[in-house]
Amino acid sequence: MSRTDPIQIATQRTSRGPIPTKPVGATFADLLQMSGVPVDPSGTAARTPLTLRKVHAGERLVHEGAPANAIFFVCAGTFKVFRTDEDGYEQVLAFALRSEVLGFDALCMTSYPVAITALEESAVYVIPRCDIPRLCEALPAFGLMLQRSGSITLARSRELVDIMAAVASEVRLARFLIQHSRRMADCGQSPHRFLLRMGRRELSSLLGVAHETVSRSFTALSALDLIQVSAREVEILDMDRLGAFARSTRRQMDAPMLVRTRTPADRTPTQRRHAPSRGLAA
């Protein structure tokens, strides 16, 4: 088994099916390095084994209400954090990317308050809850990293408040794209061009708008030449102008006219043939 593929894991067979076990060579040094913490190759972290769990696209990592027995650090992939209301509506609360912590909010609870599902082929480092005090004592760098990760999680929740403070759906979408761009940069990926792993309905749930409104918002930002959209691939064409647009708490002055000019009956035949790209795919 190769260490070059972070998603490969060893499994053992029990009466409950395949159970993830420690992958060959995975240690706490891998986790610390992923988070940008300098590691001594011959130190304690490099000798302390760590469990890596593979999570398939659409697979549930955590069930809402399940015993909170571990926290997770995203090694690869994208996760959706959500809760299900009594009427069955799925309220998306966050999306998690590489190096971010999951389940941290359950450390003060006996059960997970949310559910977590992989949006693509993903992998997480698993830290048993009962091992955290011992690990923080043996690996001070891990304790500091855990504090930082908790702080980042809190900051992410404030970013959602910032998104919801905007009245216009186009502004909410612009703020989300800017925040996602920064997170992609933190992962070492392009902040200007990226593939959104979440669908239109999942994004509409996070933004608090109808899923049709998400498509119209993508179309509006495209018509302003702020972004270019192809299916789920988004390219930010002008980060400065998108940032200026996102700083508005209400609809831009030209946005109502923008929506009207995109009504098919109001376009010329040439405009209909060269209409801007459609919004995010479902």
Side-chain angles (χ1 to χ4, degrees), residues 202-270:
E202 292 163 330
L203 190 50
S204 70
S205 178
L206 180 78
L207 299 181
V209 299
H211 69 273
E212 297 88 350
T213 304
V214 172
S215 291
R216 290 197 296 267
S217 298
F218 271 103
T219 299
L221 296 182
S222 296
L224 288 172
D225 291 327
L226 299 177
I227 64 172
Q228 182 173 328
V229 184
S230 177
R232 294 190 182 186
E233 186 175 63
V234 176
E235 181 178 3
I236 298 177
L237 302 177
D238 193 324
M239 187 67 75
D240 292 337
R241 287 183 58 222
L242 184 63
F245 187 95
R247 285 192 291 272
S248 171
T249 58
R250 298 185 180 275
R251 189 182 302 275
Q252 296 292 305
M253 293 297 293
D254 57 349
M257 290 299 296
L258 176 64
V259 173
R260 287 199 294 272
T261 58
R262 290 191 53 76
T263 303
D266 293 338
R267 297 194 195 125
T268 66
T270 300

Side-chain angles (χ1 to χ4, degrees), residues 65-88:
N69 52 18
I71 61 173
F72 312 89
F73 285 88
V74 181
C75 174
T78 308
F79 288 85
K80 172 180 65 175
V81 181
F82 65 98
R83 67 167 184 264
T84 304
D85 295 336
E86 293 182 359
D87 60 0

Side-chain angles (χ1 to χ4, degrees), residues 29-221:
D30 300 319
L31 172 59
L32 295 174
Q33 288 175 341
M34 180 185 71
S35 302
V37 179
V39 177
D40 181 357
S42 60
T44 303
R47 299 192 303 270
T48 306
L50 181 62
T51 298
L52 182 68
R53 174 179 170 184
K54 180 179 179 180
V55 190
H56 297 293
E59 182 182 349
R60 194 73 60 89
L61 172 67
V62 164
H63 290 268
E64 185 176 354
N69 52 18
I71 61 173
F72 312 89
F73 285 88
V74 181
C75 174
T78 308
F79 288 85
K80 172 180 65 175
V81 181
F82 65 98
R83 67 167 184 264
T84 304
D85 295 336
E86 293 182 359
D87 60 0
Y89 177 73
E90 186 180 282
Q91 177 61 61
V92 177
L93 303 173
F95 300 108
L97 308 179
R98 176 176 167 83
S99 81
E100 296 182 9
V101 65
L102 294 168
F104 188 87
D105 54 345
L107 286 179
C108 62
M109 306 177 184
T110 57
S111 61
Y112 293 109
V114 297
I116 304 172
T117 296
L119 294 179
E120 58 179 318
E121 292 297 304
S122 305
V124 294
Y125 291 117
V126 183
I127 313 293
R129 179 174 179 172
C130 60
D131 291 345
I132 292 177
R134 175 183 60 82
L135 290 169
C136 289
E137 182 177 356
L139 300 169
F142 170 71
L144 293 174
M145 188 199 73
L146 189 60
Q147 293 179 34
R148 180 177 180 274
S149 298
S151 178
I152 291 175
T153 299
L154 180 60
R156 296 280 186 249
S157 65
R158 290 177 178 171
E159 287 181 350
L160 181 57
V161 172
D162 181 60
I163 289 175
M164 300 305 292
V167 175
S169 59
E170 298 93 340
V171 177
R172 291 187 182 187
L173 178 59
R175 293 183 181 187
F176 169 80
L177 291 176
I178 289 175
Q179 292 175 10
H180 193 75
S181 170
R182 292 169 181 164
R183 295 170 71 182
M184 294 299 288
D186 291 341
C187 294
Q189 301 185 44
S190 171
H192 297 283
R193 188 170 186 173
F194 43 80
L195 185 65
L196 293 176
R197 299 296 181 177
M198 65 291 300
R200 180 177 57 192
R201 291 186 181 275
E202 292 163 330
L203 190 50
S204 70
S205 178
L206 180 78
L207 299 181
V209 299
H211 69 273
E212 297 88 350
T213 304
V214 172
S215 291
R216 290 197 296 267
S217 298
F218 271 103
T219 299
L221 296 182

Side-chain angles (χ1 to χ4, degrees), residues 9-12 18-22 51-54:
I9 58 173
T11 60
Q12 61 183 4
I19 302 297
T21 60
K22 180 178 70 67
T51 298
L52 182 68
R53 174 179 170 184
K54 180 179 179 180

Side-chain angles (χ1 to χ4, degrees), residues 262 267-277:
R262 290 191 53 76
R267 297 194 195 125
T268 66
T270 300
Q271 288 174 323
R272 286 196 293 270
R273 286 197 301 270
H274 300 283
S277 57

